[in-house]
Amino acid sequence: MVLVRGATVALIASGLVLVGCSAGRPFGPTVGDAFGGGGAPRSAASTQAGIGVNAFLWRATLDTFSFMPLANADPWGGVINYDWYSDPQAPNERFKATVFILDTRLRADALNVTVTKEVRDATGGWIATAVAAQTETDLENAILTKARQLNLSTAG
C-alpha cells in the first residue's frame, strides 16, 4: 500500500513539474498568444506586417459588402462575417454573408463567398431558403473586379 501511495505521489509531482515547464499555461496558449501577446514564440508568417491575405481582395470585399452590417472580421485568417441584412424594399427577406479569402495572391480561386437567405413565414418566424448559386458567383466576380481596380490604381 505504501508503494502505491509513493507511486501516486511521484506521478502527481512529475505532472506538476511538467505543468511548470509550460510557462504557467497548463492548457496551452492564451488568447493573447494567438495575436502575438503573452511572450509566446511567433512563426515567421505571423511576424509579417499587415494582414495574412491579399489586401486588395480584403479591401474590395469590405467595399462590396459595405451595405451589410459587419459581424466580425479576421484579417489573419481571411474570414469576414456579415450579419443579417434586410432590404427596405423586401422586408420579408434577409441575407447573411461570409467571405473567405484563401490566398495572398490576387486570384479568382483565392475567394469564396457564401450567402444565407431566410424568408419570413406567416407566423413571423424566419425560414431558411436556397440562394441561387449564381448570386454567390456574381458577388465573387464583383469583389474580384473591385480588387483588380484597386490593384491597378496603386500600380500606376
Side-chain angles (χ1 to χ4, degrees):
M1 187 69 165
V2 174
L3 185 60
V4 172
R5 282 189 187 155
T8 303
V9 170
L11 182 62
I12 291 171
S14 65
L16 290 174
V17 169
L18 289 175
V19 168
C21 291
S22 68
R25 292 171 294 196
F27 302 108
T30 62
V31 172
D33 292 340
F35 299 105
R42 301 167 107 192
S43 68
S46 68
T47 58
Q48 294 177 354
I51 61 177
V53 295
N54 184 281
F56 298 117
L57 288 173
W58 184 264
R59 181 77 247 164
T61 299
L62 293 175
D63 290 350
T64 302
F65 284 93
S66 62
F67 64 95
M68 293 181 77
L70 183 65
N72 59 43
D74 177 9
W76 291 274
V79 180
I80 305 174
N81 290 310
Y82 290 92
D83 209 354
W84 291 109
Y85 168 77
S86 290
D87 184 1
Q89 303 298 323
N92 291 328
E93 293 181 343
R94 66 182 187 173
F95 298 90
K96 190 181 217 182
T98 301
V99 179
F100 300 94
I101 301 172
L102 308 169
D103 202 340
T104 56
R105 297 171 292 178
L106 181 53
R107 299 169 40 119
D109 62 351
L111 185 67
N112 185 8
V113 175
T114 59
V115 178
T116 305
K117 178 182 177 182
E118 290 184 347
V119 178
R120 193 182 310 263
D121 65 4
T123 64
W126 293 99
I127 299 172
T129 60
V131 177
Q134 190 61 39
T135 302
E136 294 173 345
T137 303
D138 289 345
L139 289 168
E140 288 174 1
N141 288 336
I143 293 169
L144 288 165
T145 299
K146 179 68 176 173
R148 288 183 191 109
Q149 291 170 350
L150 291 169
N151 187 20
L152 290 173
S153 69
T154 60

